[in-house]
Amino acid sequence: MTMDLPEAKGTYVLITCVSQMKRLGIGCLGAFDIVPGFYAYVGSAFGSGGLRARVGHHLESTTAPHWHINHLLRIARPVEVWYTTAHQKLEHHFADLLEKAPQFRVPIHRFGSSDYHRTRSSHLFFSKRAPSFDWFRQKVREDFDGVAAERYRFVQPNCPP
C-alpha cells in the first residue's frame, strides 16, 4: 500500500474502523469482542523510514502479527493517520490525551503498551463516532509548544456512523 506519509520520524495516531462485531485473539492479551466503531492506536516511528515505514509495516503485516495493532488490523480498516514530525517522542503524551478525552474509552487494557508495565493502561482507544482531527490538532497546539499535527486520509471506507 503506497501512502503519502513522510519518511520523517514522529509520533502517530492510526484511526481505524470496524464495521461489525468480531471476536478477536490478540496475542497474550487474550480474546476480545471488538465492537463496531472507530479505534485510535497511538504509536511512534523513530526507526529507519520513519512514519511511512512504520505505518506501512502495520498495514502490510496482518498475516503474521508482531504488534498488537497487527491483530486488530485483520478486521479493521485504516481511515486516517494523525501525526507529528516533532523530534521528541510524544507517544505517552498522546495516549494520555486520548485517555482523558470524553469521546474515547479504553477497550483493551495494555494494548500496545505491555512494555510499559506500570505507566500506561493502553495505546488503543475506542470511539463510537468518527473522532475529530480538528479537536486533536487543537489539543496538540495547546499542549505542546511548537508542535503541529497533520493528517493523512486513506480512501474513506464504509464505516459505522
Side-chain angles (χ1 to χ4, degrees), residues 4-6 8-9 11-13 15 51 80-86 94 133-134 136-138 140-141 147-153:
D4 194 22
L5 282 172
K9 296 172 182 357
T11 305
Y12 62 92
V13 179
I15 307 296
L51 291 158
E80 53 191 34
V81 180
W82 304 343
Y83 65 92
T84 66
T85 55
F94 286 2
F133 172 71
D134 292 335
F136 179 75
R137 181 176 48 204
Q138 183 61 35
V140 167
R141 189 178 299 137
V147 175
E150 298 182 59
R151 170 174 53 184
Y152 171 79
R153 290 183 182 173

Side-chain angles (χ1 to χ4, degrees), residues 3-156:
M3 294 175 296
D4 194 22
L5 282 172
E7 291 181 6
K9 296 172 182 357
T11 305
Y12 62 92
V13 179
L14 174 60
I15 307 296
T16 63
C17 171
V18 172
S19 57
Q20 55 185 305
M21 189 165 118
K22 299 269 185 180
R23 184 90 174 146
L24 183 66
I26 302 175
C28 63
L29 292 178
F32 299 88
D33 289 327
I34 306 298
V35 299
F38 294 85
Y39 291 82
Y41 171 74
V42 179
S44 59
F46 282 83
S48 176
L51 291 158
R52 183 181 305 160
R54 175 57 59 93
V55 174
H57 179 76
H58 289 324
L59 298 176
E60 294 169 1
S61 299
T62 60
T63 55
H66 175 71
W67 288 293
H68 292 155
I69 187 62
N70 299 130
H71 293 276
L72 181 64
L73 286 169
R74 289 177 164 182
I75 63 168
R77 289 174 289 204
V79 176
E80 53 191 34
V81 180
W82 304 343
Y83 65 92
T84 66
T85 55
H87 296 293
Q88 70 225 57
K89 290 187 178 184
L90 298 172
E91 186 175 359
H92 307 313
H93 299 291
F94 286 2
D96 286 342
L97 180 75
L98 297 183
E99 189 168 9
K100 293 174 185 170
Q103 66 266 39
F104 289 104
R105 69 172 175 80
V106 173
I108 302 171
H109 289 282
R110 298 187 51 141
F111 186 104
S113 63
S114 56
D115 52 342
Y116 304 109
H117 297 287
R118 294 189 180 123
T119 60
R120 296 284 158 243
S121 65
S122 187
H123 280 202
L124 183 70
F125 303 89
F126 171 79
S127 175
K128 187 73 177 156
R129 303 208 188 307
S132 168
F133 172 71
D134 292 335
W135 167 84
F136 179 75
R137 181 176 48 204
Q138 183 61 35
K139 292 299 286 180
V140 167
R141 189 178 299 137
E142 291 170 6
D143 294 357
F144 307 101
D145 213 19
V147 175
E150 298 182 59
R151 170 174 53 184
Y152 171 79
R153 290 183 182 173
F154 295 93
V155 175
Q156 209 57 342

